[in-house]
Amino acid sequence: MGSPKLIIFTAPSGAGKTTIVKHLLKVREDLAFSISACTRSQRYGEVNGLDYYFLSVEEFKRKVSAGDFVEYEEVYENQFYGTLKAEIERLKSLGKNVIFDIDVKGAVNIKKFYGEEALTVFVSPPSPEVLFERLKSRKTEDEESLRKRIARARIELGYENKFDVTLINNDLETALNDAEMIVSTFLSEGVEGLKKNRYGNFNHQ
Ligand code: 5GP
């Protein structure tokens, strides 16, 4: 294997990127998940140090001042999320390719920093309406949080053309297969390989 690469999945909340990332981690042992730091409260079933490093806002800001993040965002008011430099180094030193599940601005920033070493994949819902319905039926949020997520998703949908590949998540089975294909092509042939091979639903820039 060559030097480890970075594969960044990004999408509006509710487009299904977390499901896709979890699937890829299950089928490919050469991938490892970049565990982000965040300040939102832990959801039922989430494990500190596995899903996220859950920090207080004070701890998070201390790390920002110390220059510990490669990127961070206040994704929702007073809810900070960020990628720790040490986390990427930890996974690369294990010889793993690093896979990310982060917001659109974080994805743009990591790509800027790592260039051709990184692939950005935008997971798109078949339509904005489908996305809003998925968010509503998820039931992990209260009314206020749901309203914020829908407002943000509207903005994030406009970012699609900033990424290397768009993966449309209409039928989940197809999206999972496409995701496997995208990752294996990128790891063997780089971004150029993806541009050369035009599969099903993805549009290359
Ligand atoms: P959630 O609260 O649903 O877990 O995540 C909210 C949003 O924050 C999602 O779009 C998620 O991908 C994003 N996110 C998670 N980790 C990071 C990170 O390290 N950096 C940035 N910029 N966004 C993140």
Side-chain angles (χ1 to χ4, degrees), residues 9-13 17-18 33-38 40 43 46 52 69 71-76 79-84 100-107 109-110 138 141 149 152 156:
F9 278 82
T10 189
S13 191
K17 70 180 179 304
T18 305
F33 181 62
S34 166
I35 302 165
S36 296
C38 83
R40 75 150 163 74
R43 288 184 192 140
E46 285 182 330
Y52 283 107
F69 288 103
E71 66 77 33
Y72 74 93
E73 290 293 324
E74 186 174 8
V75 174
Y76 304 104
Q79 291 185 3
F80 294 88
Y81 295 76
T83 306
L84 292 159
F100 299 77
D101 172 345
I102 63 178
D103 92 314
V104 289
K105 287 191 192 153
N109 287 332
I110 293 190
R138 203 153 78 167
E141 318 299 325
R149 277 177 187 255
R152 189 180 174 90
E156 289 177 329

Side-chain angles (χ1 to χ4, degrees), residues 102-171:
I102 63 178
D103 92 314
V104 289
K105 287 191 192 153
V108 169
N109 287 332
I110 293 190
K111 176 74 183 181
K112 228 185 267 165
F113 195 82
Y114 287 96
E116 291 283 298
E117 221 186 306
L119 174 73
T120 47
V121 182
F122 184 85
V123 181
S124 168
S127 71
E129 291 69 33
V130 169
L131 180 71
F132 303 150
E133 278 315 308
R134 282 186 196 164
L135 277 175
K136 283 180 201 156
S137 61
R138 203 153 78 167
K139 299 205 168 63
T140 50
E141 318 299 325
D142 58 29
E143 278 288 306
E144 174 60 11
S145 169
L146 180 62
R147 196 189 53 73
K148 281 193 204 159
R149 277 177 187 255
I150 289 181
R152 189 180 174 90
R154 278 186 207 282
I155 298 169
E156 289 177 329
L157 283 168
Y159 269 71
E160 173 176 343
N161 62 7
K162 295 195 184 300
F163 304 107
D164 296 319
V165 176
T166 296
L167 170 59
I168 298 174
N169 184 8
N170 185 9
D171 167 60

